[in-house]
Amino acid sequence: MLKSVILAAGKGTRMKSETPKVLHTIFDKTLVGYVIEAVNGTGLADENFVIVGHQAERVEEYIKENYSNARTVLQSPQLGTGHAVSMVLPYLNDFDGEVVILCGDTPLITADTLKEFVEYHKANKSDLTVMSTIFENPTNYGRIIRGDNGKVEGIVEEKDATLEQKGIKEVNAGIYCLDWKKVKPAFSQLKTNNAQGEYYLTDIIKWGNEQGLNVNAYILKDNSEIYGINSKANLAEATKFLNRRTVNKHLANGVTIIDPDSTWISPETEIEPDTIIYPSTYIEGNNKIGKNCKIGPFAHLRGGVILDDEVKIGNFVEVKKAHIKSNTNACHLTYIGDAEIGSHVNIGAGTITANYNPLTKEKSKTIIGNNVKIGSNSVLVAPVKVEEGANVGALSVITKDLPSWALAITRAPLRVIENWVSKKLNK
Ligand code: UD1
Ligand code: MG
């Protein structure tokens, strides 16, 4: 089993935020969370070290609460990427195996790529493999220096590069696989004689070559996978990349998505074929959507939603933590939260499950049986149960459980006053 080291001590000044950079989110998951889950998704790593520095306590707390196979290591002060990795030396003194190094601010890296990268490292009997990729505009990245024979000789940072080196389009993706025992000594030999006065992790490439180690580069085809987040603009762009990847996956699986550009689907959402997603739909969190459902336009699923087959969630309908069984419709202007809804139920326009009591701050459940019909503009005040087949008249407020096949109605009686208008107008 290998170990990973995830660098996350940097400040992230350009985010202009009080939140540490790696705790910013895409679809509610943190940037560092994506990286840890990509590593875990390979099934190859048993332990992840996250190097923390700026606002270390917040990142430490987050990691502890969310990832049991990750631990944080403090780097203070932050003297560069090479210095950051050296923080794990005391923990991996006797470790004999591969260490994969990644950055906490590149959330789009996939488990499949990491797996292929480690396989490449092993197949080439490499001691040190760096991931590279090609950018038409390589500004700000470290450039890969190759010898005449194509062999990787080193990495030169933008700030240290000559004009000629700046023209190189193959860049350092910032992901490395090391034979730990062989490369470990490098970390006590790094120097700071560079433009930034830092301990550069990238110097291990040249060091490895000097030691006669087998040094290689794995070229990543899809350079969007190493897209780094330095600003809110980058965060928006990364969300788009990730969404496009998710939408494409569903399209390939047979889901109809009318307008990929205005449809947002979290990576954790599962959707069965022949479901249609209409434009301007926003789906976040963990959801399971069955076959032949119709979602949107302008629908919002907020996570914990299970839709069985042939469910319709129409415009301006928000659903959260709810299981809705087959052939049930909520077509317009509705909020469904903390609910279990049977099949063949009709939820009229403007229906609200009032699940939250702001005084006690408690949330409660609404349970609706099969074949129930809820009239328009009704409020179901949870906790409440509407048994099979019951009907709720339009504009009703339901505050107690309804038995099967009953009608409940709280509407004031209708008064019709004949000629009222004409009298007012003296006609
Ligand atoms: C680094 C690489 C560059 C590569 C690029 C890819 C070096 C010297 N350069 O440059 O070749 O093309 O990544 O994105 O490694 N960090 C720490 N502690 C530190 C400094 C940095 O944990 O003391 C973390 C940062 O939080 C960040 C990562 O390391 O997550 C990379 O640091 P950053 O300053 O962004 O390096 P780049 O200049 O992007
Ligand atoms: Mg960077």
Side-chain angles (χ1 to χ4, degrees):
M1 282 303 220
L2 57 78
K3 312 277 180 195
S4 90
V5 178
I6 299 168
L7 308 184
K11 193 165 180 195
T13 316
R14 281 171 288 165
M15 295 302 278
K16 303 212 171 125
S17 170
E18 285 176 7
T19 302
K21 175 156 92 173
V22 293
L23 296 191
H24 281 79
T25 55
I26 297 177
F27 285 112
D28 265 351
K29 192 191 291 179
T30 62
L31 303 184
V32 69
Y34 279 100
V35 179
I36 295 173
E37 288 178 31
V39 176
N40 286 343
T42 65
L44 299 171
D46 62 348
E47 198 176 14
N48 304 297
F49 293 89
V50 181
I51 310 299
V52 297
H54 276 276
Q55 298 200 57
E57 280 135 56
R58 280 183 66 183
V59 185
E60 277 163 8
E61 194 182 287
Y62 168 79
I63 298 287
K64 207 170 173 183
E65 271 174 24
N66 292 280
Y67 296 99
S68 58
N69 72 343
R71 62 190 294 176
T72 51
V73 181
L74 183 66
Q75 181 201 17
S76 178
Q78 290 89 40
L79 304 177
T81 47
H83 178 248
V85 175
S86 73
M87 297 295 113
V88 302
L89 286 171
Y91 301 93
L92 296 179
N93 202 20
D94 303 321
F95 178 65
D96 187 5
E98 278 91 24
V99 169
V100 172
I101 302 168
L102 312 98
C103 291
D105 62 356
T106 52
L108 303 182
I109 189 74
T110 63
D112 285 347
T113 292
L114 289 176
K115 231 170 149 172
E116 209 180 285
F117 175 59
V118 174
E119 273 159 20
Y120 175 94
H121 173 88
K122 287 185 178 164
N124 285 281
K125 300 206 160 43
S126 190
D127 298 317
L128 171 46
T129 308
V130 57
M131 191 183 290
S132 74
T133 195
I134 311 295
F135 275 117
E136 275 315 303
N137 175 8
T139 313
N140 289 330
Y141 286 93
R143 309 297 204 281
I144 302 286
I145 309 297
R146 289 182 184 261
D148 295 336
N149 53 1
K151 193 113 187 68
V152 181
E153 291 180 345
I155 298 173
V156 175
E157 291 305 293
E158 169 97 17
K159 286 183 178 143
D160 302 288
T162 62
L163 212 58
E164 194 189 339
Q165 288 168 334
K166 281 183 184 159
I168 298 172
K169 290 179 177 170
E170 187 184 2
V171 305
N172 171 21
I175 298 178
Y176 314 78
C177 185
L178 325 180
D179 177 323
W180 183 247
K181 247 192 159 161
K182 288 187 181 158
V183 183
K184 184 174 66 172
F187 293 99
S188 41
Q189 293 173 38
L190 294 176
K191 304 220 163 55
T192 57
N193 53 346
N194 53 56
Q196 303 185 76
E198 289 181 357
Y199 295 97
Y200 283 172
L201 174 56
T202 45
D203 286 349
I204 61 174
I205 306 296
K206 188 158 168 268
W207 179 91
N209 282 313
E210 284 165 3
Q211 303 298 308
L213 299 183
N214 184 8
V215 180
N216 295 284
Y218 162 97
I219 305 175
L220 172 71
K221 279 176 230 89
D222 176 5
N223 61 21
S224 73
E225 282 198 33
I226 57 119
Y227 188 78
I229 311 295
N230 293 308
S231 65
K232 295 284 170 72
N234 293 154
L235 193 64
E237 194 66 17
T239 308
K240 241 185 199 165
F241 280 140
L242 184 66
N243 190 54
R244 193 67 216 206
R245 193 191 280 170
T246 309
V247 164
N248 287 345
K249 177 189 81 183
H250 292 301
L251 289 171
N253 287 345
V255 178
T256 302
I257 296 170
I258 310 276
D259 179 22
D261 289 334
S262 74
T263 302
W264 298 87
I265 306 175
S266 62
E268 290 84 10
T269 295
E270 292 171 29
I271 312 176
E272 302 259 351
D274 285 328
T275 278
I276 306 179
I277 316 269
Y278 291 92
S280 295
T281 291
Y282 193 78
I283 301 177
E284 46 186 334
N286 245 303
N287 308 282
K288 261 194 153 112
I289 301 173
K291 277 188 287 216
N292 294 312
C293 291
K294 290 188 170 152
I295 319 272
F298 299 99
H300 185 188
L301 307 192
R302 285 175 43 207
V305 174
I306 301 171
L307 305 183
D308 292 355
D309 299 343
E310 324 224 357
V311 168
K312 235 171 121 181
I313 300 296
N315 20 215
F316 305 104
V317 175
E318 174 181 339
V319 189
K320 174 214 94 164
K321 276 198 191 154
H323 182 181
I324 303 179
K325 296 204 174 135
S326 62
N327 296 287
T328 284
N329 298 335
C331 294
H332 339 260
L333 304 159
T334 285
Y335 173 62
I336 297 170
D338 300 303
E340 278 172 38
I341 302 181
S343 61
H344 293 278
V345 171
N346 192 65
I347 309 277
T351 298
I352 307 289
T353 56
N355 60 332
Y356 181 59
N357 180 337
L359 299 180
T360 61
K361 297 195 162 50
E362 273 170 356
K363 293 202 174 130
S364 306
K365 264 184 117 166
T366 300
I367 298 172
I368 298 177
N370 298 336
N371 298 304
V372 164
K373 313 293 171 205
I374 308 286
S376 296
N377 255 347
S378 295
V379 181
L380 305 163
V381 182
V384 70
K385 211 171 185 176
V386 181
E387 302 271 9
E388 171 162 18
N391 282 19
V392 169
L395 205 62
S396 296
V397 180
I398 305 302
T399 50
K400 58 184 183 197
D401 294 352
L402 302 184
S404 299
W405 307 106
L407 168 70
I409 190 160
T410 63
R411 197 188 309 152
L414 174 69
R415 282 169 65 200
V416 178
I417 305 170
E418 294 201 3
N419 296 319
W420 186 87
V421 179
S422 45
K423 271 183 204 151
K424 289 270 173 198
L425 298 175
N426 288 322
K427 277 194 179 165

